[in-house]
Short mmCIF file of all heavy atoms in Angstrom, two decimals:
data_model
loop_
_atom_site.label_atom_id
_atom_site.label_comp_id
_atom_site.label_asym_id
_atom_site.label_seq_id
_atom_site.Cartn_x
_atom_site.Cartn_y
_atom_site.Cartn_z
N MET A 1 0.84 -1.20 0.00
CA MET A 1 0.00 0.00 0.00
C MET A 1 0.87 1.25 0.00
O MET A 1 1.85 1.34 0.72
CB MET A 1 -0.90 -0.02 1.24
CG MET A 1 -1.97 1.09 1.20
SD MET A 1 -3.09 0.92 2.60
CE MET A 1 -3.74 2.58 2.65
N ARG A 2 0.52 2.18 -0.85
CA ARG A 2 1.30 3.40 -0.97
C ARG A 2 1.01 4.38 0.15
O ARG A 2 -0.07 4.39 0.72
CB ARG A 2 0.96 4.08 -2.29
CG ARG A 2 1.72 3.48 -3.45
CD ARG A 2 1.49 4.33 -4.66
NE ARG A 2 1.91 3.62 -5.87
CZ ARG A 2 1.75 4.12 -7.08
NH1 ARG A 2 1.18 5.29 -7.23
NH2 ARG A 2 2.14 3.45 -8.13
N ALA A 3 1.98 5.21 0.40
CA ALA A 3 1.77 6.28 1.36
C ALA A 3 0.81 7.30 0.76
O ALA A 3 0.69 7.42 -0.46
CB ALA A 3 3.10 6.95 1.68
N THR A 4 0.13 8.00 1.60
CA THR A 4 -0.80 9.01 1.14
C THR A 4 -0.06 10.15 0.46
O THR A 4 0.94 10.64 0.97
CB THR A 4 -1.60 9.58 2.33
OG1 THR A 4 -2.20 8.50 3.00
CG2 THR A 4 -2.67 10.54 1.85
N VAL A 5 -0.53 10.53 -0.73
CA VAL A 5 0.06 11.67 -1.41
C VAL A 5 -0.69 12.92 -0.97
O VAL A 5 -1.91 12.95 -0.97
CB VAL A 5 -0.05 11.50 -2.93
CG1 VAL A 5 0.53 12.71 -3.65
CG2 VAL A 5 0.69 10.24 -3.37
N ARG A 6 0.07 13.92 -0.62
CA ARG A 6 -0.58 15.12 -0.09
C ARG A 6 -0.29 16.33 -0.95
O ARG A 6 0.81 16.50 -1.47
CB ARG A 6 -0.09 15.38 1.35
CG ARG A 6 -0.70 14.38 2.29
CD ARG A 6 0.09 14.32 3.57
NE ARG A 6 -0.52 13.34 4.49
CZ ARG A 6 0.04 12.90 5.57
NH1 ARG A 6 1.23 13.34 5.92
NH2 ARG A 6 -0.56 12.03 6.32
N CYS A 7 -1.29 17.17 -1.07
CA CYS A 7 -1.13 18.38 -1.85
C CYS A 7 -0.28 19.39 -1.10
O CYS A 7 -0.57 19.71 0.05
CB CYS A 7 -2.50 18.99 -2.14
SG CYS A 7 -2.38 20.54 -3.05
N PRO A 8 0.79 19.90 -1.74
CA PRO A 8 1.67 20.86 -1.07
C PRO A 8 1.03 22.24 -0.93
O PRO A 8 1.52 23.09 -0.19
CB PRO A 8 2.89 20.93 -1.98
CG PRO A 8 2.38 20.55 -3.32
CD PRO A 8 1.27 19.55 -3.09
N TYR A 9 -0.05 22.49 -1.65
CA TYR A 9 -0.67 23.81 -1.62
C TYR A 9 -1.80 23.93 -0.62
O TYR A 9 -2.14 25.01 -0.18
CB TYR A 9 -1.21 24.16 -3.01
CG TYR A 9 -0.13 24.18 -4.06
CD1 TYR A 9 -0.16 23.30 -5.12
CD2 TYR A 9 0.91 25.10 -3.96
CE1 TYR A 9 0.83 23.32 -6.08
CE2 TYR A 9 1.91 25.12 -4.91
CZ TYR A 9 1.87 24.23 -5.97
OH TYR A 9 2.85 24.24 -6.90
N CYS A 10 -2.42 22.80 -0.30
CA CYS A 10 -3.58 22.83 0.57
C CYS A 10 -3.24 22.29 1.95
O CYS A 10 -3.58 21.15 2.28
CB CYS A 10 -4.73 22.05 -0.06
SG CYS A 10 -5.22 22.73 -1.65
N VAL A 11 -2.55 23.07 2.70
CA VAL A 11 -2.16 22.64 4.03
C VAL A 11 -3.24 23.01 5.03
O VAL A 11 -3.59 24.18 5.18
CB VAL A 11 -0.84 23.31 4.44
CG1 VAL A 11 -0.36 22.74 5.77
CG2 VAL A 11 0.21 23.13 3.37
N SER A 12 -3.77 22.03 5.69
CA SER A 12 -4.76 22.30 6.73
C SER A 12 -4.03 22.45 8.06
O SER A 12 -2.82 22.33 8.13
CB SER A 12 -5.78 21.18 6.80
OG SER A 12 -5.19 20.03 7.36
N ASP A 13 -4.78 22.66 9.11
CA ASP A 13 -4.17 22.85 10.42
C ASP A 13 -3.47 21.58 10.91
O ASP A 13 -2.45 21.64 11.55
CB ASP A 13 -5.23 23.25 11.44
CG ASP A 13 -5.71 24.67 11.18
OD1 ASP A 13 -4.96 25.43 10.55
OD2 ASP A 13 -6.82 25.01 11.60
N LEU A 14 -4.02 20.45 10.58
CA LEU A 14 -3.49 19.19 11.10
C LEU A 14 -2.59 18.47 10.12
O LEU A 14 -1.62 17.85 10.49
CB LEU A 14 -4.65 18.26 11.50
CG LEU A 14 -5.50 18.75 12.67
CD1 LEU A 14 -6.69 17.82 12.87
CD2 LEU A 14 -4.66 18.82 13.94
N ALA A 15 -2.92 18.54 8.85
CA ALA A 15 -2.16 17.77 7.87
C ALA A 15 -2.38 18.37 6.49
O ALA A 15 -3.24 19.23 6.29
CB ALA A 15 -2.61 16.32 7.87
N PHE A 16 -1.59 17.90 5.54
CA PHE A 16 -1.82 18.30 4.16
C PHE A 16 -3.12 17.69 3.68
O PHE A 16 -3.57 16.67 4.17
CB PHE A 16 -0.67 17.80 3.28
CG PHE A 16 0.59 18.57 3.45
CD1 PHE A 16 1.59 18.11 4.30
CD2 PHE A 16 0.79 19.75 2.76
CE1 PHE A 16 2.76 18.82 4.46
CE2 PHE A 16 1.97 20.45 2.90
CZ PHE A 16 2.95 19.99 3.76
N PHE A 17 -3.70 18.32 2.69
CA PHE A 17 -4.92 17.81 2.10
C PHE A 17 -4.57 16.57 1.29
O PHE A 17 -3.76 16.62 0.39
CB PHE A 17 -5.50 18.90 1.19
CG PHE A 17 -6.97 18.73 0.92
CD1 PHE A 17 -7.90 19.22 1.81
CD2 PHE A 17 -7.40 18.08 -0.23
CE1 PHE A 17 -9.27 19.08 1.55
CE2 PHE A 17 -8.75 17.94 -0.49
CZ PHE A 17 -9.69 18.44 0.40
N ALA A 18 -5.15 15.45 1.65
CA ALA A 18 -4.84 14.19 0.97
C ALA A 18 -5.35 14.23 -0.47
O ALA A 18 -6.44 14.72 -0.74
CB ALA A 18 -5.48 13.03 1.71
N MET A 19 -4.55 13.72 -1.37
CA MET A 19 -4.91 13.73 -2.78
C MET A 19 -5.55 12.40 -3.16
O MET A 19 -5.26 11.36 -2.59
CB MET A 19 -3.69 14.01 -3.63
CG MET A 19 -3.13 15.40 -3.35
SD MET A 19 -1.55 15.70 -4.16
CE MET A 19 -2.10 16.04 -5.83
N VAL A 20 -6.43 12.44 -4.16
CA VAL A 20 -7.18 11.26 -4.57
C VAL A 20 -6.46 10.55 -5.71
O VAL A 20 -6.08 11.18 -6.69
CB VAL A 20 -8.59 11.67 -5.01
CG1 VAL A 20 -9.39 10.45 -5.46
CG2 VAL A 20 -9.31 12.40 -3.89
N ALA A 21 -6.28 9.25 -5.59
CA ALA A 21 -5.64 8.48 -6.65
C ALA A 21 -6.55 8.37 -7.85
O ALA A 21 -7.74 8.10 -7.73
CB ALA A 21 -5.30 7.08 -6.13
N HIS A 22 -6.00 8.62 -9.03
CA HIS A 22 -6.76 8.56 -10.26
C HIS A 22 -6.42 7.26 -11.00
O HIS A 22 -5.43 6.63 -10.71
CB HIS A 22 -6.41 9.78 -11.12
CG HIS A 22 -7.48 10.12 -12.12
ND1 HIS A 22 -8.80 10.30 -11.76
CD2 HIS A 22 -7.41 10.32 -13.46
CE1 HIS A 22 -9.49 10.59 -12.86
NE2 HIS A 22 -8.68 10.60 -13.91
N VAL A 23 -7.27 6.88 -11.96
CA VAL A 23 -7.08 5.61 -12.65
C VAL A 23 -5.77 5.53 -13.41
O VAL A 23 -5.21 4.46 -13.58
CB VAL A 23 -8.25 5.33 -13.61
CG1 VAL A 23 -9.47 4.89 -12.83
CG2 VAL A 23 -8.55 6.54 -14.48
N ASP A 24 -5.27 6.64 -13.91
CA ASP A 24 -4.06 6.61 -14.72
C ASP A 24 -2.78 6.70 -13.89
O ASP A 24 -1.70 6.84 -14.44
CB ASP A 24 -4.10 7.72 -15.78
CG ASP A 24 -4.23 9.10 -15.16
OD1 ASP A 24 -4.19 9.20 -13.92
OD2 ASP A 24 -4.38 10.07 -15.90
N GLY A 25 -2.90 6.63 -12.57
CA GLY A 25 -1.72 6.64 -11.72
C GLY A 25 -1.41 7.99 -11.12
O GLY A 25 -0.55 8.11 -10.27
N ARG A 26 -2.10 9.03 -11.60
CA ARG A 26 -1.88 10.35 -11.04
C ARG A 26 -2.67 10.52 -9.75
O ARG A 26 -3.60 9.78 -9.47
CB ARG A 26 -2.31 11.44 -12.02
CG ARG A 26 -1.43 11.56 -13.22
CD ARG A 26 -1.90 12.69 -14.10
NE ARG A 26 -3.28 12.49 -14.52
CZ ARG A 26 -4.03 13.46 -15.07
NH1 ARG A 26 -3.53 14.65 -15.25
NH2 ARG A 26 -5.26 13.20 -15.43
N TYR A 27 -2.26 11.52 -8.99
CA TYR A 27 -3.02 11.89 -7.81
C TYR A 27 -3.53 13.31 -8.01
O TYR A 27 -2.79 14.17 -8.49
CB TYR A 27 -2.14 11.84 -6.56
CG TYR A 27 -1.86 10.42 -6.11
CD1 TYR A 27 -0.89 9.65 -6.73
CD2 TYR A 27 -2.61 9.86 -5.08
CE1 TYR A 27 -0.66 8.34 -6.34
CE2 TYR A 27 -2.37 8.55 -4.66
CZ TYR A 27 -1.40 7.80 -5.30
OH TYR A 27 -1.17 6.52 -4.91
N ILE A 28 -4.77 13.51 -7.68
CA ILE A 28 -5.38 14.81 -7.90
C ILE A 28 -5.92 15.38 -6.61
O ILE A 28 -6.60 14.70 -5.85
CB ILE A 28 -6.52 14.70 -8.93
CG1 ILE A 28 -5.98 14.13 -10.25
CG2 ILE A 28 -7.18 16.05 -9.15
CD1 ILE A 28 -7.07 13.84 -11.27
N CYS A 29 -5.61 16.65 -6.36
CA CYS A 29 -6.16 17.33 -5.19
C CYS A 29 -7.57 17.78 -5.51
O CYS A 29 -7.80 18.50 -6.47
CB CYS A 29 -5.29 18.52 -4.81
SG CYS A 29 -6.02 19.50 -3.49
N GLY A 30 -8.53 17.37 -4.70
CA GLY A 30 -9.91 17.73 -4.93
C GLY A 30 -10.21 19.17 -4.57
O GLY A 30 -11.27 19.69 -4.88
N LYS A 31 -9.26 19.83 -3.94
CA LYS A 31 -9.51 21.20 -3.50
C LYS A 31 -9.02 22.22 -4.53
O LYS A 31 -9.75 23.11 -4.91
CB LYS A 31 -8.82 21.42 -2.16
CG LYS A 31 -9.31 22.65 -1.43
CD LYS A 31 -8.69 22.69 -0.05
CE LYS A 31 -9.12 23.96 0.68
NZ LYS A 31 -8.40 24.10 1.95
N CYS A 32 -7.77 22.06 -4.99
CA CYS A 32 -7.21 23.06 -5.90
C CYS A 32 -6.93 22.52 -7.29
O CYS A 32 -6.60 23.26 -8.20
CB CYS A 32 -5.93 23.65 -5.30
SG CYS A 32 -4.53 22.51 -5.30
N GLY A 33 -7.04 21.19 -7.48
CA GLY A 33 -6.82 20.63 -8.80
C GLY A 33 -5.38 20.27 -9.08
O GLY A 33 -5.04 19.87 -10.19
N HIS A 34 -4.50 20.44 -8.09
CA HIS A 34 -3.10 20.08 -8.27
C HIS A 34 -2.97 18.58 -8.51
O HIS A 34 -3.68 17.78 -7.89
CB HIS A 34 -2.29 20.49 -7.04
CG HIS A 34 -0.86 20.05 -7.09
ND1 HIS A 34 0.04 20.55 -8.00
CD2 HIS A 34 -0.17 19.15 -6.35
CE1 HIS A 34 1.22 19.97 -7.80
NE2 HIS A 34 1.12 19.13 -6.81
N THR A 35 -2.09 18.18 -9.43
CA THR A 35 -1.88 16.77 -9.71
C THR A 35 -0.44 16.38 -9.44
O THR A 35 0.46 17.21 -9.53
CB THR A 35 -2.22 16.45 -11.18
OG1 THR A 35 -1.40 17.24 -12.04
CG2 THR A 35 -3.68 16.74 -11.48
N ALA A 36 -0.24 15.11 -9.12
CA ALA A 36 1.10 14.58 -8.91
C ALA A 36 1.19 13.21 -9.54
O ALA A 36 0.20 12.48 -9.61
CB ALA A 36 1.40 14.50 -7.42
N TYR A 37 2.36 12.87 -10.01
CA TYR A 37 2.55 11.59 -10.67
C TYR A 37 3.81 10.96 -10.10
O TYR A 37 4.91 11.11 -10.66
CB TYR A 37 2.68 11.81 -12.17
CG TYR A 37 2.35 10.60 -13.02
CD1 TYR A 37 2.08 10.74 -14.38
CD2 TYR A 37 2.30 9.32 -12.48
CE1 TYR A 37 1.77 9.65 -15.19
CE2 TYR A 37 1.99 8.22 -13.26
CZ TYR A 37 1.73 8.39 -14.61
OH TYR A 37 1.44 7.30 -15.39
N PRO A 38 3.70 10.25 -8.97
CA PRO A 38 4.87 9.71 -8.27
C PRO A 38 5.71 8.77 -9.13
O PRO A 38 6.90 8.64 -8.91
CB PRO A 38 4.23 8.93 -7.10
CG PRO A 38 2.88 9.54 -6.92
CD PRO A 38 2.44 9.95 -8.29
N ASP A 39 5.09 8.14 -10.13
CA ASP A 39 5.84 7.20 -10.96
C ASP A 39 6.68 7.87 -12.03
O ASP A 39 7.52 7.26 -12.66
CB ASP A 39 4.86 6.23 -11.64
CG ASP A 39 4.19 5.31 -10.63
OD1 ASP A 39 4.76 5.15 -9.53
OD2 ASP A 39 3.12 4.78 -10.93
N ASP A 40 6.44 9.16 -12.25
CA ASP A 40 7.17 9.87 -13.29
C ASP A 40 7.76 11.16 -12.72
O ASP A 40 7.06 12.13 -12.49
CB ASP A 40 6.21 10.20 -14.44
CG ASP A 40 6.94 10.84 -15.62
OD1 ASP A 40 8.15 11.09 -15.50
OD2 ASP A 40 6.29 11.09 -16.64
N ALA A 41 9.08 11.14 -12.52
CA ALA A 41 9.75 12.28 -11.90
C ALA A 41 9.72 13.51 -12.79
O ALA A 41 9.87 14.63 -12.33
CB ALA A 41 11.19 11.91 -11.56
N ALA A 42 9.53 13.29 -14.09
CA ALA A 42 9.54 14.41 -15.04
C ALA A 42 8.15 15.00 -15.26
O ALA A 42 7.99 15.94 -16.02
CB ALA A 42 10.11 13.94 -16.38
N TYR A 43 7.18 14.44 -14.57
CA TYR A 43 5.81 14.92 -14.75
C TYR A 43 5.66 16.36 -14.27
O TYR A 43 6.13 16.72 -13.20
CB TYR A 43 4.84 14.02 -14.00
CG TYR A 43 3.42 14.50 -14.03
CD1 TYR A 43 2.64 14.35 -15.17
CD2 TYR A 43 2.86 15.13 -12.92
CE1 TYR A 43 1.34 14.81 -15.21
CE2 TYR A 43 1.55 15.58 -12.95
CZ TYR A 43 0.79 15.42 -14.10
OH TYR A 43 -0.50 15.88 -14.13
N LEU A 44 5.02 17.17 -15.10
CA LEU A 44 4.79 18.57 -14.72
C LEU A 44 3.30 18.82 -14.54
O LEU A 44 2.52 18.58 -15.46
CB LEU A 44 5.33 19.50 -15.80
CG LEU A 44 6.85 19.59 -15.89
CD1 LEU A 44 7.24 20.44 -17.09
CD2 LEU A 44 7.45 20.17 -14.62
N CYS A 45 2.94 19.28 -13.39
CA CYS A 45 1.54 19.61 -13.12
C CYS A 45 1.19 20.93 -13.79
O CYS A 45 2.00 21.84 -13.85
CB CYS A 45 1.33 19.70 -11.61
SG CYS A 45 -0.31 20.29 -11.19
N ARG A 46 -0.02 21.02 -14.29
CA ARG A 46 -0.47 22.24 -14.96
C ARG A 46 -1.64 22.90 -14.23
O ARG A 46 -2.47 23.55 -14.86
CB ARG A 46 -0.86 21.93 -16.39
CG ARG A 46 0.35 21.52 -17.23
CD ARG A 46 0.00 21.43 -18.69
NE ARG A 46 1.20 21.32 -19.51
CZ ARG A 46 1.89 22.38 -19.93
NH1 ARG A 46 1.50 23.59 -19.62
NH2 ARG A 46 2.97 22.22 -20.66
N CYS A 47 -1.71 22.69 -12.96
CA CYS A 47 -2.78 23.34 -12.20
C CYS A 47 -2.44 24.83 -12.07
O CYS A 47 -1.30 25.25 -12.25
CB CYS A 47 -2.92 22.70 -10.82
SG CYS A 47 -1.72 23.25 -9.60
N PRO A 48 -3.42 25.67 -11.76
CA PRO A 48 -3.20 27.12 -11.67
C PRO A 48 -2.06 27.50 -10.73
O PRO A 48 -1.29 28.42 -11.02
CB PRO A 48 -4.54 27.65 -11.16
CG PRO A 48 -5.54 26.64 -11.64
CD PRO A 48 -4.84 25.31 -11.58
N LYS A 49 -1.93 26.79 -9.63
CA LYS A 49 -0.88 27.13 -8.66
C LYS A 49 0.50 26.85 -9.23
O LYS A 49 1.44 27.64 -9.07
CB LYS A 49 -1.09 26.31 -7.39
CG LYS A 49 -2.43 26.55 -6.75
CD LYS A 49 -2.28 27.28 -5.46
CE LYS A 49 -3.61 27.46 -4.76
NZ LYS A 49 -3.53 28.39 -3.65
N CYS A 50 0.66 25.72 -9.89
CA CYS A 50 1.95 25.38 -10.47
C CYS A 50 2.29 26.29 -11.64
O CYS A 50 3.44 26.70 -11.81
CB CYS A 50 1.96 23.92 -10.92
SG CYS A 50 2.05 22.76 -9.53
N LEU A 51 1.29 26.64 -12.45
CA LEU A 51 1.53 27.56 -13.55
C LEU A 51 1.93 28.93 -13.03
O LEU A 51 2.78 29.62 -13.59
CB LEU A 51 0.27 27.68 -14.42
CG LEU A 51 -0.05 26.44 -15.28
CD1 LEU A 51 -1.34 26.67 -16.04
CD2 LEU A 51 1.08 26.14 -16.24
N GLU A 52 1.32 29.31 -11.92
CA GLU A 52 1.64 30.59 -11.29
C GLU A 52 3.09 30.60 -10.84
O GLU A 52 3.83 31.56 -11.06
CB GLU A 52 0.70 30.79 -10.10
CG GLU A 52 0.69 32.20 -9.55
CD GLU A 52 -0.28 32.31 -8.39
OE1 GLU A 52 -1.49 32.10 -8.61
OE2 GLU A 52 0.19 32.58 -7.28
N LEU A 53 3.52 29.51 -10.23
CA LEU A 53 4.91 29.40 -9.79
C LEU A 53 5.86 29.42 -10.97
O LEU A 53 6.90 30.08 -10.95
CB LEU A 53 5.10 28.10 -8.99
CG LEU A 53 4.61 28.13 -7.54
CD1 LEU A 53 4.87 26.78 -6.90
CD2 LEU A 53 5.29 29.23 -6.75
N ALA A 54 5.51 28.69 -12.02
CA ALA A 54 6.36 28.64 -13.21
C ALA A 54 6.45 30.03 -13.83
O ALA A 54 7.51 30.46 -14.28
CB ALA A 54 5.79 27.63 -14.20
N GLY A 55 5.32 30.74 -13.87
CA GLY A 55 5.30 32.08 -14.44
C GLY A 55 6.14 33.04 -13.62
O GLY A 55 6.88 33.86 -14.16
N ALA A 56 6.07 32.92 -12.30
CA ALA A 56 6.84 33.79 -11.42
C ALA A 56 8.32 33.54 -11.60
O ALA A 56 9.14 34.46 -11.55
CB ALA A 56 6.43 33.55 -9.97
N ARG A 57 8.67 32.28 -11.83
CA ARG A 57 10.07 31.93 -12.01
C ARG A 57 10.59 32.53 -13.32
O ARG A 57 11.72 33.00 -13.39
CB ARG A 57 10.19 30.40 -12.04
CG ARG A 57 11.43 29.89 -11.32
CD ARG A 57 11.45 28.37 -11.30
NE ARG A 57 10.48 27.81 -10.37
CZ ARG A 57 9.71 26.76 -10.63
NH1 ARG A 57 9.76 26.18 -11.81
NH2 ARG A 57 8.88 26.29 -9.74
N MET A 58 9.75 32.50 -14.34
CA MET A 58 10.16 33.04 -15.63
C MET A 58 10.28 34.56 -15.60
O MET A 58 11.13 35.15 -16.25
CB MET A 58 9.15 32.64 -16.70
CG MET A 58 9.52 31.34 -17.41
SD MET A 58 8.29 30.93 -18.64
CE MET A 58 7.41 29.62 -17.86
N ALA A 59 9.42 35.20 -14.82
CA ALA A 59 9.38 36.65 -14.79
C ALA A 59 10.55 37.23 -14.00
O ALA A 59 10.99 38.35 -14.25
CB ALA A 59 8.06 37.11 -14.17
N SER A 60 11.07 36.49 -13.03
CA SER A 60 12.12 37.03 -12.20
C SER A 60 13.48 36.96 -12.88
O SER A 60 13.68 36.22 -13.81
CB SER A 60 12.17 36.27 -10.86
OG SER A 60 12.46 34.92 -11.08
ZN1 LIG B 101 -4.55 21.26 -3.35
ZN1 LIG B 102 -0.01 21.72 -9.43
#
């Protein structure tokens, strides 16, 4: 059994927001839409938060 994948953006008071396993192996945060793919280190999430971070990195 895999460890729970947690969304880095949705931190609650007690724990990170647990992400839901999807059929294709990805994990999706039901709160912000962030996705993670533990099996693929090169996977890039395209949720608004990650795009925002990528954009900020490019602008600086
Ligand atoms: Zn989230
Ligand atoms: Zn994301």
